[in-house]
Amino acid sequence: GFLHWPVDPNLLQSRLPAGLSPALWKGRAYVGLAALYMADMSPRFVPPTPLGRFPELDFFTIVRDCNNNTGLTMFSIDA
């Protein structure tokens, strides 16, 4: 599942790497929390093992670069 919260864009900007800015929606920036379950994860050409199944929790925001490309910046990836 996904959750998201509005945050002050200026506060968020101070926590982003140089060259990135918060992507805004209706003038607001957002942070998100995603709970995932990864299954059958393994390197290419390696059969899946039980170690390739695990829960993951991601804390992120959507950003733009100087060319207006959109992407994700992860603050935390816990697996």
Side-chain angles (χ1 to χ4, degrees):
F2 293 90
L3 300 170
H4 62 274
W5 296 270
V7 294
D8 179 339
N10 294 320
L11 178 64
L12 190 55
Q13 179 67 59
S14 69
R15 287 159 172 75
L16 293 177
L20 298 178
S21 60
L24 303 180
W25 187 70
K26 295 187 177 181
R28 290 183 152 174
Y30 288 84
V31 293
L33 190 64
L36 309 167
Y37 185 78
M38 307 302 281
D40 300 328
M41 300 297 296
S42 66
R44 189 180 276 184
F45 306 116
V46 175
T49 70
L51 294 175
R53 296 173 181 266
F54 52 89
E56 182 175 309
L57 187 63
D58 302 333
F59 182 52
F60 63 93
T61 192
I62 300 172
V63 295
R64 293 192 184 276
D65 67 11
C66 60
N67 295 315
N68 210 32
N69 295 310
T70 304
L72 287 177
T73 289
M74 307 302 275
F75 295 114
S76 173
I77 300 173
D78 298 301

